[in-house]
Amino acid sequence: MPDYKLYCFGESGNAYKVALTLELAGCAWQARFVDFFNGETRSTVFKSLNPMGEVPVLIHGDIRLSQSGVIQEYISEQTGKLGGKDAAGRREILRWILWDNHRLSSQAGMTRFLMNFMPEDKRPAEVINFTRKRLTAAYNILNTALESRDWLVGDAITAADISCCSYLYYPEPFGFERADFPAIDRWLGRISALPAWKHPYDLMPRERNED
Ligand SMILES: N[C@@H](CCC(=O)N[C@@H](CS)C(=O)NCC(=O)O)C(=O)O
């Protein structure tokens, strides 16, 4: 029986942050598919698991956690991996995770949803234009940070890199082209070259398997 159980679905970049953290930290884990596209995150049963109505949710023994950044921190605590070398490093990781959750992933996730998963006749062009502009500003901030270093914090991959890269491997268009951001492009290449790296669609289920 794997130690960790992750409520997730393949299209969720936020769940990918946790799945990839578990994988790179060498944890034994199992996925539990959540049928987001048929409303499962809004169901009473799911909300009894996470009143915030979101994946990812991680179960580890008696511990149940939501919010990817908190879960990443918990995995680092448990494994001693990916969490920074000292207090200054941990603060810097948290700073990037908060930035990512606010400025990058929330906008990327929403824009990708609106451009790809919403029925075509309901896609709000003005909202999409607005969030794409905000996203371009975020890509530039990330690209600039990565021009002078290989990893966001310290000299090896941490939870900060995992959080910030999570939406950038997905194939559906949402206004991000790797070729436009050379430092991000090289960094995504470094991450995906790690032996334990897997693409989100290879790491998390896109339909129900066994629970
Ligand atoms: N800040 C949260 C964001 C989680 C989130 O937005 N999850 C999405 C999937 S990517 C979700 O489950 N949304 C549920 C809904 O909109 O009903 C985290 O990092 O865990």
Side-chain angles (χ1 to χ4, degrees), residues 103-114:
R103 281 294 296 277
L104 182 53
S105 288
S106 59
Q107 316 268 341
M110 182 173 65
T111 308
R112 175 164 154 268
F113 180 85
L114 296 177

Side-chain angles (χ1 to χ4, degrees), residues 121-153:
D121 58 332
K122 296 206 168 108
R123 294 179 190 170
E126 280 187 28
V127 176
I128 291 170
N129 283 340
F130 179 77
T131 55
R132 280 185 59 159
K133 280 193 198 123
R134 283 184 63 79
L135 273 169
T136 300
Y139 303 143
N140 279 318
I141 288 167
L142 186 61
N143 196 69
T144 302
L146 290 164
E147 273 167 358
S148 55
R149 53 189 191 261
D150 284 353
W151 306 104
L152 287 172
V153 183

Side-chain angles (χ1 to χ4, degrees), residues 25-61:
C27 298
W29 65 283
Q30 71 178 115
R32 196 295 202 171
F33 173 72
V34 175
D35 197 354
F36 167 82
F37 291 105
N38 284 307
E40 188 175 347
T41 49
R42 296 178 184 196
S43 69
T44 315
V45 173
F46 188 83
K47 283 197 177 155
S48 68
L49 184 77
N50 178 13
M52 291 176 176
E54 294 175 335
V55 305
V57 175
L58 186 80
I59 309 289
H60 184 220

